[in-house]
């Protein structure tokens, strides 16, 4: 029986009753083609009607297992009770005043929560924005104001957004940068410790990659000219790359020794996604600034820059902000999402997801030689696909696998600089039965290649 509402009450089952996409989705797709700009893509042309827990129901009545979470956004599940309750109450009070015009408590409370949750016991402050790209761009602004320097260092395979500055920071050309230049200047890219593809082997990766990156910074830029080093502790769009252990601490030490602001971009990896509040905690890293978005507000648009108070206060009054930044409804939703994360121990849930997924995927790797690597932490897991007998990327197999999963009612996402990575980002509240059923679909898809 079809539920009348989404959220946690939605039946937690996979149900395929039409071809995917079904006829109603196809009708909507025709309307979309006529009305929506072609540059806005979609992973799967099914149109959502309801979602909650670990499933997404489309307009044709199909219920898909959700291994995407809207790209790591609905970690607490769609329409989570506390998110709906708090956001609904705020909607009834007021929807907007602009914090820069008439402030409100919710914005302050979100900043207080961020100060408590982010790594480090130093004094912290935050500024709220609408999207991850905005957060990264403002982190760069703040770092430049604090250091009075201009250069920004980023890393191979990194992704930081679609605005002009964040396109410059992003490594991958297609689809993020192609034909959109020229880009912002004073952005420099250096190697990252990518264990699976490091030429001298993963055992040498951290030390050699850090040495190369630091050498390039010193020789090509000059450490004294660098305002910020910006990196994702787990590189998201680059393929869920976990930098080899020791690499990030070496980069942080270099930044600290040279007065460079170290920025951890935790937009995709933050808020319990990796089994810790923030991925940088894995190696005890305390960033100067940390950017967050995606999972922060249970699906409502909100982002933040949080950092050392003296750095955050470097920007002049009026220099940070935006009409909608820290919208009161989004702030209420964030407080509801954080409440849910605490009450349901979603860090523990993410760790349990890893305990289920990684062994199953590793067993598949032993059966199917096109699985070159299984990696990730918590509920941020990926498999990199290669051509048999080599490490050559295999985007064709990746696309075919995703298509096969979609046809069976499992929503999965692809990623990676080479387009050859399947990434798994299930809601942290997903049931273990759905998780295992999704893994069965993945294994069957491999067998059918």
């Amino acid at each position: 029986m079809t539920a009348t509402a989404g959220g946690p009450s939605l039946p937690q089952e996979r149900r395929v009753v039409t071809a995917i996409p079904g006829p109603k989705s196809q009708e909507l797709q025709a309307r979309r083609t006529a009305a929506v700009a072609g540059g806005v893509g979609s992973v799967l042309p099914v149109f959502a009607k309801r979602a909650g827990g670990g499933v997404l129901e489309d307009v044709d009545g199909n219920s898909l297992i959700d291994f995407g979470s809207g790209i790591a956004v609905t970690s607490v599940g769609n329409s989570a009770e506390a998110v709906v309750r708090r956001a609904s109450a705020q909607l009834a009070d007021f929807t907007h005043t602009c914090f820069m015009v008439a402030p409100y408590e919710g914005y302050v409370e979100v900043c207080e929560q961020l100060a408590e949750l982010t790594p480090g016991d130093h004094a912290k402050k935050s500024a709220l924005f609408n999207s991850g790209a905005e957060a990264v761009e403002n982190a760069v602004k703040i770092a430049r104001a604090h250091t009075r320097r201009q250069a920004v260092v980023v890393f191979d395979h990194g992704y930081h957004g679609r605005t002009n500055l964040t396109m410059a920071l992003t490594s991958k050309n297609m689809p993020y940068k192609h034909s959109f230049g020229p880009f912002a200047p004073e952005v420099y890219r250096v190697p990252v410790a990518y264990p699976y593809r490091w030429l001298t082997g993963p055992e040498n990766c951290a030390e050699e990659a850090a040495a190369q990156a630091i050498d390039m910074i010193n020789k090509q830029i000059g450490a004294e000219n660098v305002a910020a080093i910006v990196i994702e502790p787990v590189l998201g769009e680059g393929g869920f790359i976990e930098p080899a252990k020791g690499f990030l601490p070496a980069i942080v030490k270099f930044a600290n020794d040279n007065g460079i602001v170290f920025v951890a971009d935790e937009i995709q990896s933050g808020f319990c996604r990796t089994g810790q509040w923030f991925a940088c905690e894995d190696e005890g890293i305390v960033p100067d600034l940390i950017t967050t978005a995606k999972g922060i507000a249970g699906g409502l648009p909100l982002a933040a820059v949080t950092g050392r108070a003296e750095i955050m206060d470097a920007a002049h009054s009026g220099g940070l902000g935006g009409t909608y930044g820290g919208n009161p409804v989004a702030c209420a939703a964030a407080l509801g999402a954080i409440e849910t994360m605490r009450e349901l121990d979603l860090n523990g849930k993410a760790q349990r997801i890893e305990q289920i997924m990684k062994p199953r995927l590793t067993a598949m790797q032993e059966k199917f030689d096109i699985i070159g690597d299984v990696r990730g932490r918590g509920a941020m897991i990926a498999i990199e696909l290669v051509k048999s007998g080599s490490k050559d990327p295999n985007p064709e197999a990746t696309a075919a696998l995703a298509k096969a999963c979609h046809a069976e009612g499992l929503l999965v996402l692809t990623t990676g600089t080479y387009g050859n990575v399947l990434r798994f980002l299930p809601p942290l509240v997903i049931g273990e039965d759905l998780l295992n059923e999704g893994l069965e679909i993945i294994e069957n898809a491999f067998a059918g290649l």
Side-chain angles (χ1 to χ4, degrees):
M1 177 185 250
T2 302
T4 57
S9 65
L10 196 64
Q12 296 298 291
E13 61 184 16
R14 180 176 67 98
R15 185 175 62 251
V16 181
V17 298
T18 72
I20 295 176
K24 291 182 180 179
S25 281
Q26 291 179 46
E27 290 175 12
L28 284 167
Q29 180 66 20
R31 289 170 55 190
R32 169 196 169 137
T33 300
V36 179
V40 181
S42 291
V43 170
L44 179 61
V46 299
F47 283 72
K49 187 173 184 179
R50 287 178 279 263
V55 298
L56 184 153
E57 184 182 294
D58 72 11
V59 291
D60 290 289
N62 298 299
S63 179
L64 286 71
I65 299 173
D66 183 7
F67 274 17
S69 301
I71 317 183
V73 170
T74 55
S75 298
V76 296
N78 254 294
S79 297
E81 184 278 328
V83 172
V84 172
R85 169 170 42 83
R86 286 179 179 255
S88 297
Q90 182 58 56
L91 276 167
D93 288 340
F94 61 93
T95 59
H96 176 75
T97 63
C98 183
F99 190 76
M100 298 182 299
V101 175
Y104 36 87
E105 184 179 3
Y107 188 117
V108 177
E109 192 173 355
V110 169
C111 294
E112 290 170 340
Q113 289 289 314
L114 287 165
E116 179 181 340
L117 293 171
T118 52
D121 56 7
H122 51 276
K124 302 173 199 167
K125 293 187 178 183
S126 294
L128 304 184
F129 305 97
N130 302 293
S131 70
E134 280 188 57
V136 172
E137 191 143 338
N138 277 279
V140 170
K141 287 165 56 177
I142 293 163
R144 284 173 167 167
H146 174 71
T147 61
R148 304 299 179 188
R149 304 171 183 177
Q150 295 184 344
V152 180
V153 172
V154 289
F155 293 82
D156 287 339
H157 307 287
Y159 174 85
H160 301 287
R162 297 174 185 258
T163 60
N164 186 264
L165 175 58
T166 56
M167 280 191 295
L169 302 177
T170 290
S171 182
K172 188 176 180 180
N173 174 53
M174 181 63 81
Y176 306 117
K177 303 169 71 169
H178 183 71
S179 79
F180 296 145
F183 303 115
E186 286 301 307
V187 173
Y188 301 87
R189 198 172 317 283
V190 297
V192 74
Y194 188 166
Y196 179 65
R197 294 195 171 275
W198 198 254
L199 290 176
T200 62
E203 67 277 6
N204 301 313
C205 184
E207 184 177 354
E208 291 180 2
Q212 286 184 26
I214 290 167
D215 185 62
M216 289 176 68
I217 294 169
N218 282 326
K219 287 182 177 177
Q220 298 183 25
I221 314 163
E224 68 278 10
N225 296 314
V226 178
I229 294 175
V230 184
I231 190 169
E232 304 157 274
V234 178
L235 282 71
E237 302 301 311
F240 283 21
I241 300 164
E242 287 186 274
K245 300 296 186 203
F247 175 79
L248 288 173
I251 298 299
V252 170
K253 183 179 187 306
F254 173 77
N256 292 341
D257 289 346
N258 289 278
I260 300 167
V261 176
F262 181 84
V263 183
D265 178 345
E266 292 262 14
I267 288 157
Q268 190 163 171
S269 60
F271 285 100
C272 307
R273 175 54 56 181
T274 63
Q276 295 168 295
W277 280 101
F278 299 97
C280 60
E281 295 177 67
D282 185 61
E283 292 189 87
I285 288 167
V286 178
D288 297 310
L289 300 179
I290 185 167
T291 60
T292 52
K294 290 192 182 291
I296 191 175
L300 275 73
L302 188 69
V305 182
T306 302
R308 298 183 185 278
E310 68 274 16
I311 298 177
M312 292 297 298
D313 281 342
H316 54 275
S317 179
L320 304 178
T323 302
Y324 296 106
N327 170 269
V329 181
C331 285
L335 295 171
I338 292 168
E339 175 186 331
T340 304
M341 292 171 195
R342 292 181 189 276
E343 289 189 355
L344 299 184
D345 182 21
L346 292 193
N347 280 317
K349 297 276 190 184
Q351 292 165 21
R352 177 60 182 158
I353 288 169
E354 178 182 349
Q355 290 168 4
I356 293 170
M357 292 196 79
K358 263 196 164 175
R360 289 283 302 274
L361 293 169
T362 301
M364 291 182 213
Q365 184 181 21
E366 294 173 0
K367 292 174 62 176
F368 306 109
D369 66 356
I370 64 170
I371 301 179
D373 196 26
V374 177
R375 57 179 178 256
R377 298 202 304 272
M380 192 174 181
I381 305 292
I383 52 176
E384 180 165 355
L385 303 187
V386 295
K387 294 178 181 177
S388 295
S390 74
K391 288 190 177 183
D392 294 342
N394 196 340
E396 298 83 9
T398 308
L401 277 160
K403 184 176 180 181
C405 290
H406 295 162
E408 293 299 318
L410 173 66
L411 178 58
V412 296
L413 307 175
T414 61
T415 191
T417 302
Y418 311 108
N420 68 322
V421 175
L422 274 175
R423 59 174 160 173
F424 308 118
L425 292 161
L428 304 183
V429 296
I430 192 170
E432 292 187 12
D433 55 341
L434 286 177
L435 200 60
N436 282 303
E437 187 175 359
L439 289 163
E440 290 289 342
I441 292 170
I442 293 165
E443 185 162 6
N444 290 337
F446 272 108
L449 279 183

